[in-house]
DNA sequence: CGGTATAACGACCAATCGGTCGATTAATTG
DNA sequence: CAATTAATCGACCGATTGGTCGTTATACCG
């Protein structure tokens, strides 16, 4: 009866948060509804009251996840004034002690493997990438108003930059012993500046 | 009695091949032993004769998969003489009609999501990356004997290059409409040459 | 031709899990 | 204080699935 009209929002957030942690820990394929119920402090029926099916819950979880990452990216980036520094402001992706990183990577890899077989997830992925690209693009265009990044196509380069970040991330996260944080940070830095210079000199 | 001592090898290859195709099609999480049995033309008991458990089969499948990709990479790379062309010889990764690509990406993403939660899979991943890196490293060192790639640390740069390839691959495969093949090929080319130049000019 | 060991079969079992549903509790309203 | 409706519970069901096991078929050997 909605004694508190916000209860639904509170409960949903609580469930999504529990699911996020549980999925990160166990992996999508192994997580059961019971696991999530326990983590959320709810019974099966109680949870079913808010999410009718497992897939519905999962979709909500992933949407929330990508939203968080985007907000985090936006926040971190806007802490810099220099456009190039903005483009290079994603070092936090390679900080193992960052809470967003700890849960983020497991979630992201599970998500991508599901996106391979599910158009709906691919759409979420695309939207997230597009949002990220929009941030990077803005930084490039800002630089161009100051005469930098000459000949760079902002959209295309932004996509390349975000892909570079993710490429290093995969190595850094899955084969950490061979790919320490310094390697990832340095590689990203060199690749991105190198990419931008490749436009400047050519064409 | 091994009327044909090779029978075991033949059957195992047959099963692994069927599993490879089935997993690529349905995804690790959804594939059942029955699916694989049907694809392999064997019964449950027949398959169990060669692989005692699902996880044992999966591990064999992934090992075979990475072996194939490595051989393919080695083969393609060695078709070029120029070291830089060797480093840039992985365009086939972005050819949607390539059979290795068609099955490869689904397998790879499933694999990575499992590697997150399973050390054994991370080891396989690390070995594969190391093998790939070895190829790239050789090309860089070959170039250096001719005075090119000055100041480049071959090992570190090789890791960066392979990560760049994979970064573009993720975008190209999961969000194709926004990341066409030309974008991927061009991005890789610019990023890698840019990376190598970043060493040449600095330090 | 038996005898024997391998190869292959498929019915069956036990365990897991997502979702349902009737019951119970709690809160709001008239 | 009823009455009503939302919120929560957890036992239960049906479906799925990995693995087993007794059985059959096949091929080689002595």
């Amino acid at each position: 009866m909605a004694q508190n009209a916000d209860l639904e929002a509170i409960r949903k957030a609580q469930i999504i948060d529990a699911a996020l942690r549980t999925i990160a820990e166990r992996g999508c394929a192994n997580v059961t509804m019971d696991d999530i119920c326990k983590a959320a402090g709810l019974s099966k029926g109680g949870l079913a009251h808010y999410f009718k099916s497992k897939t519905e819950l999962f979709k909500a979880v992933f949407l929330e996840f990508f939203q968080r990452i985007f907000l985090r990216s936006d926040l971190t980036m806007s802490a810099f004034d220099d456009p190039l520094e903005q483009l290079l402001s994603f070092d936090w992706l390679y900080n193992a002690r960052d809470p967003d990183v700890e849960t983020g990577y497991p979630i992201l890899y599970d998500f991508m493997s599901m996106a391979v077989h599910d158009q709906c997830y691919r759409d979420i992925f695309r939207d997230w990438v597009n949002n990220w690209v929009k941030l990077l693009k803005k930084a490039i265009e800002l630089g161009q108003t100051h005469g930098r990044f000459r000949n760079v196509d902002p959209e295309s380069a932004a996509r390349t930059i975000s892909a570079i970040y993710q490429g290093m991330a995969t190595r850094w996260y899955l084969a950490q012993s061979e790919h320490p944080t310094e390697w990832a940070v340095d590689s990203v830095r060199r690749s991105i500046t190198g990419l931008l210079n490749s436009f400047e000199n050519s064409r």
Side-chain angles (χ1 to χ4, degrees), chain A:
Chain A
M1 122 152 22
Q3 85 280 11
N4 185 352
D6 299 325
L7 180 59
E8 182 170 342
I10 292 174
R11 282 277 180 278
K12 280 195 171 183
Q14 181 181 352
I15 293 167
I16 286 176
D17 203 68
L20 215 40
R21 278 180 287 118
T22 314
I23 293 173
E25 197 177 317
R26 298 232 213 313
C28 271
N30 308 314
V31 151
T32 70
M33 284 304 227
D34 274 331
D35 291 335
I36 299 173
C37 290
K38 266 172 204 154
L42 274 178
S43 70
K44 229 170 189 190
L47 199 151
H49 189 67
Y50 295 100
F51 293 97
K52 277 179 283 297
S53 72
K54 199 182 185 183
T55 63
E56 182 185 321
L57 171 59
F58 272 30
K59 268 167 199 170
V61 165
F62 287 126
L63 280 173
E64 165 69 19
F65 167 71
F66 282 116
Q67 177 73 4
R68 275 194 205 179
I69 297 295
F70 171 74
L71 289 178
R72 172 72 187 273
S73 302
D74 194 12
L75 196 71
T76 313
M77 220 175 130
S78 61
F80 294 88
D81 291 325
D82 182 76
L84 182 59
E85 280 187 61
Q86 285 180 353
L87 295 178
L88 297 172
S89 69
F90 289 79
D91 289 354
W92 62 274
L93 288 174
Y94 313 120
N95 174 12
R97 269 168 301 285
D98 189 296
D100 284 338
V101 165
E102 261 177 277
T103 63
Y105 281 75
I107 297 274
L108 179 63
Y109 287 109
D110 264 346
F111 177 85
M112 291 195 299
S113 82
M114 297 174 73
V116 169
H117 303 284
D118 188 332
Q119 174 70 50
C120 167
Y121 285 161
R122 280 202 297 279
D123 290 342
I124 295 175
F125 182 78
R126 169 178 39 88
D127 291 345
W128 171 63
V129 170
N130 284 346
N131 283 332
W132 187 1
V133 164
K134 233 176 269 176
L135 290 182
L136 296 168
K137 189 177 168 186
K138 222 189 301 172
I140 295 174
E141 287 172 340
L142 175 64
Q144 290 182 329
T145 65
H146 294 75
R148 303 170 67 179
F149 312 144
R150 219 184 307 272
N151 298 322
V152 172
D153 173 30
E155 167 102 11
S156 172
R159 291 192 183 279
T160 308
I161 289 170
S162 90
I164 287 173
Y165 272 114
Q166 204 177 334
M168 305 305 148
T170 297
R171 298 292 194 269
W172 174 80
Y173 188 70
L174 288 182
Q176 242 150 2
S177 61
E178 268 94 354
H179 305 82
T181 297
E182 307 79 51
W183 168 86
V185 169
D186 188 60
S187 291
V188 160
R189 196 166 206 91
R190 286 185 182 280
S191 303
I192 292 176
T193 55
L195 170 77
L196 295 171
N197 286 334
S198 83
F199 288 95
E200 199 115 5
N201 300 334
S202 73
R203 188 174 295 184

